[in-house]
């Protein structure tokens, strides 16, 4: 990949915007339910119309994740899936759509450290990284080393984040800003929270890069609702559950592709006017 | 791409809440305001005479402080030096955990929080928190691994009796690590009205500082009592280390006395070389667990491994970040003791002194009566962090096997 991560991500958001819709950003857990199936799911995401893919690196103690993603990580680890396997999946699809790795701090600090993690991720074509347990002000050297290697480091803004801190977070964002829709861990919610529009509007006003929303989006309808206010819509636990329930590689890939196609249809025109 | 690449934003790295490189706040963004609020609230409360006098009154009349510093004569005879026991087992609820629980629940109420959550391993912290919540009339939810529920049944019953809700955690090895994770997840979801009373000097800043501050009463009392009894400071202060709250509490009283050696005793489980242990300072690596960078038992890819110890309270793959720093700077020394030696010490102390120690505490005695007999000068102070009634069923079960 010749372009840097930030430029690749910007181009993907621009393309969606030009089509009058928010970017569709599905998540998958690398190596769940097994390596081959998750690789097939990544390809199904590309075919189903993903604009960017969020690829989880399994971690034993994922504090930001709810039971569905935690369980997926536990199962992937039980199969011996490691960072190397996840990066193989990344390399398979990163030529088609930008891939953002979702990796906890330990995945980055272990081994030969952040610079080595970043160069391996770039070799696999990753455009960016989300580190859910590395808030602004904690170990800023990690962010610098990842950015120096050409990766976007996507920060999170939570409903509890004070306006002053939002400003600081938007100030360091590259790629996009990830707005957490609701307090709590990842997982489907029955409703889109009432305060979300206000939060997204505020963050958008402060940010030079696009704003995507995740946590709790469980249906194409919810995606469309969120998509009217955000530049991108992230769907995680719903898709992981779909895969877990599918029973078999082909079925999982088909279910994932169909869900994305439906969601893309629901999102069409959401950002027009 | 953006203007920012040419004019990078300078972000202030947070140095507070660090012990050398250790500590920090490796948590989801959602929790950051709550951690800020807690840090500020404690800074205010500790300067508030009304808060401090309330805390001191409860320490004296409810917990029963100061706890005695007891010269264990038969033990002294056996180890060949004077050995004093700091009797935290005589604190209300039978362990040092109550010092932290009462302090944090008082602080939470001052902050206007209406719901308390806690994790527990051996059950002592859960009991202490349930006790504090009963006393101060607050809702209490305790997360506990189902394996620990099995091996610490009496403490589960005590918590229920005092009105706490027990949530069984079924993830992983169903012990303390998963209970902490479950409690943190609850806190992320309910942060507005809930305070998380963490039970050891672990977790994201400001918890390691806060818990040490709540537990340093052990060290401050010990220092005063030791000086009164002997007219000189002890040669060594010894405590068991799981998360490390009783150890950091007693060490805190002597940190500035450089002539006093500080010895932390970790759980070697089936032996450090077996890989089945609870000794991150002796046999771990540097990693992030539960929000702070510290010594952790983790593999080469940063995955946290399961700890093992016969003692539920030491069955944890991490340790407070201040201990990692005390180790690196050489101010404290960390050693480890196997399950078998701790079980032997559990029996020995019972017969020798008429005190049944907690299995956690038995690790400290196992070191004192064995390796610790060599070296050192002056007299010893050992933190008797808790009583062992809760462990009887587990120990008798192991003996019958």
């Amino acid at each position: 990949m010749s372009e840097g991560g930030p430029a690749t991500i910007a181009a993907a958001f621009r393309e969606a915007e030009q089509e009058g819709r928010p970017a569709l950003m599905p998540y998958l857990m690398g190596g769940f339910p097994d390596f081959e199936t998750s690789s097939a799911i990544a390809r199904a995401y590309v075919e189903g119309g993903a604009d960017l893919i969020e690829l989880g690196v399994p971690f034993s103690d994922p504090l930001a994740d709810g039971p569905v993603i935690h369980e997926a990580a536990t199962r992937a680890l039980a199969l011996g899936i490691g960072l190397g396997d996840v990066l193989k999946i990344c390399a398979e699809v990163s030529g088609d759509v930008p891939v953002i790795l979702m990796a906890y701090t330990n995945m980055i600090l272990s081994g030969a450290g952040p610079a080595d993690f970043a160069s391996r991720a770039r070799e696999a074509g990753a455009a960016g990284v989300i580190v859910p347990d590395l808030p602004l002000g904690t170990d800023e050297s990690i962010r610098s080393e990842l950015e120096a290697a050409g990766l976007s480091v996507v920060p999170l803004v939570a409903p509890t984040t004070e306006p002053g801190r939002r400003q600081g977070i938007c100030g360091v964002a590259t790629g996009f800003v990830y707005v957490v829709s609701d307090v709590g861990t990842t997982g489907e919610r029955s409703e889109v929270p009432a305060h979300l529009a206000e939060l997204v509007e505020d963050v958008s006003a402060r940010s030079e890069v696009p704003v995507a929303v995740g946590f709790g989006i469980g249906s194409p309808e919810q995606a469309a609702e969120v998509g009217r206010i955000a530049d991108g819509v992230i769907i995680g636990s719903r898709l992981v559950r779909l895969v877990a329930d599918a029973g078999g590689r082909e079925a999982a890939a088909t279910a994932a592709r169909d869900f994305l196609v439906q969601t893309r249809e629901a999102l069409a025109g959401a950002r027009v006017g | 791409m953006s203007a920012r690449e040419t004019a990078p934003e300078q972000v202030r790295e947070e140095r507070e809440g660090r012990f050398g490189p250790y500590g920090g706040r490796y948590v989801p963004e959602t929790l950051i305001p709550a951690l800020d609020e807690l840090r500020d609230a404690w800074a205010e409360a500790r300067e508030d005479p009304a808060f401090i006098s309330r805390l001191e009154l409860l320490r004296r009349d409810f917990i029963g402080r100061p706890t005695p510093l007891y010269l264990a004569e038969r033990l002294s005879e056996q180890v060949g030096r004077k050995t004093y026991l700091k009797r935290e087992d005589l604190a209300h609820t039978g362990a040092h955990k109550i010092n932290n629980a009462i302090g944090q629940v008082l602080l939470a109420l001052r902050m206007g929080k209406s719901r308390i959550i806690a994790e527990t391993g051996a059950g002592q912290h859960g009991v202490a928190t349930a006790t504090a919540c009963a006393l101060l009339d607050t809702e209490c939810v305790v997360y506990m691994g189902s394996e620990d529920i099995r091996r610490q049944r009496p403490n589960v019953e005590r918590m229920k009796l005092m009105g706490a809700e027990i949530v069984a955690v079924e993830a992983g090895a169903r012990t303390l690590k998963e209970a902490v994770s479950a409690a943190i997840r609850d806190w992320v979801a309910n942060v507005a009205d809930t305070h998380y009373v963490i039970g050891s000097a672990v977790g994201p800043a400001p918890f390691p500082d806060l818990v040490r501050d709540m537990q340093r009463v052990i060290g401050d009392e010990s220092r005063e009592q030791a000086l009164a009894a002997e007219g000189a400071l002890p040669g060594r202060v010894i405590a068991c280390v799981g998360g490390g709250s009783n150890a950091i509490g007693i060490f805190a009283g002597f940190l500035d006395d450089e002539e006093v050696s500080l010895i932390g005793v970790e759980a070697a489980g089936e032996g450090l070389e077996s890989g089945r242990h609870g000794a991150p300072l002796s046999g771990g690596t540097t990693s992030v667990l539960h929000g702070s960078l510290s010594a952790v038992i983790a593999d080469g890819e940063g995955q946290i491994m399961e700890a093992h110890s016969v003692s539920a309270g030491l069955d944890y793959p991490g340790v407070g970040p201040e201990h990692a720093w005390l180790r690196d700077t050489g101010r404290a020394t960390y050693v480890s003791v196997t399950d078998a030696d701790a079980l032997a010490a559990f029996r020995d102390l019972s017969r020798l002194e008429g005190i049944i120690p907690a299995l956690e505490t038995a690790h400290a005695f196992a070191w004192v009566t064995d390796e610790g007999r060599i070296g050192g000068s002056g007299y010893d102070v050992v933190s008797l962090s808790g009583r062992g009634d809760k462990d009887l069923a587990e120990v008798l079960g192991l003996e019958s096997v």
Side-chain angles (χ1 to χ4, degrees), chain B residues 264-285:
Chain B
V265 185
E266 293 191 288
E270 295 172 8
L272 291 184
E273 66 291 338
S274 72
R276 284 174 55 75
H277 61 80
L281 291 160
S282 310
T285 182

Side-chain angles (χ1 to χ4, degrees), chain B residues 41-196:
Chain B
W42 174 229
E44 270 178 43
R46 65 188 306 173
E47 303 296 329
D48 174 0
F51 180 85
I52 294 300
S53 69
R54 179 101 197 272
L55 179 58
E56 282 177 355
L57 190 71
L58 288 174
R59 278 179 175 169
R60 191 189 73 193
D61 296 345
F62 186 74
I63 300 178
R65 303 206 71 90
T67 57
L69 185 73
Y70 167 68
L71 175 60
E73 291 188 11
R74 296 188 63 206
L75 179 66
S76 299
E77 202 174 305
Q78 183 174 324
V79 301
R81 81 180 74 217
K82 271 190 178 174
T83 304
Y84 283 87
L85 309 181
K86 179 59 174 165
R87 298 290 307 273
E88 293 300 298
D89 60 318
L90 294 179
H92 181 43
T93 71
H96 70 289
K97 295 291 186 187
I98 191 76
N99 302 326
N100 173 51
I102 291 277
Q104 282 206 49
V105 174
L106 264 189
L107 181 61
L109 294 178
R110 191 178 192 272
M111 292 166 72
K113 305 286 181 181
S114 58
R115 178 173 175 266
I116 296 296
I117 57 172
E119 88 295 338
T120 197
Q124 289 303 114
H125 174 58
V127 167
T129 307
T131 302
C133 288
L135 172 73
L136 299 166
D137 191 20
T138 305
E139 182 186 351
C140 181
V141 177
V142 178
Y143 288 89
M144 189 169 188
S146 56
E147 168 63 11
D148 287 338
I149 289 178
R150 184 194 65 74
R151 57 182 170 173
Q152 303 288 344
R153 181 54 67 179
N155 275 343
V156 174
E157 299 306 330
R158 292 162 82 192
M159 286 186 271
K160 285 185 182 165
L161 195 59
M162 287 182 287
E165 179 193 342
I166 314 299
V167 181
V169 180
E170 300 290 350
R174 302 186 290 274
T175 58
L176 181 55
K177 172 173 80 97
E178 302 302 336
V180 176
S181 294
I184 293 176
R185 291 191 178 99
D186 177 315
W187 202 31
V188 176
N190 300 293
V191 66
D193 68 348
T194 297
H195 175 66
Y196 174 27

Side-chain angles (χ1 to χ4, degrees), chain B residues 372-392:
Chain B
R373 297 177 66 173
I374 306 154
S377 59
Y379 66 98
D380 287 349
V381 171
V382 184
S383 174
L384 209 179
S385 55
R387 57 191 289 166
D389 310 48
K390 68 184 175 62
D391 296 313
L392 285 183

Side-chain angles (χ1 to χ4, degrees), chain A residues 122-141:
Chain A
R122 286 297 286 157
E123 268 169 42
V129 193
I130 300 165
V131 193
D133 60 346
L134 195 69
L136 185 76
T138 297
D139 246 340
E140 286 298 323
S141 64

Side-chain angles (χ1 to χ4, degrees), chain A residues 7 63 73 75 77 91 159 166 168 186 207 232 244 264:
Chain A
L63 285 185
R75 286 188 42 195
L77 289 172
R166 286 179 209 161
T186 56
S207 172
R264 266 289 289 263

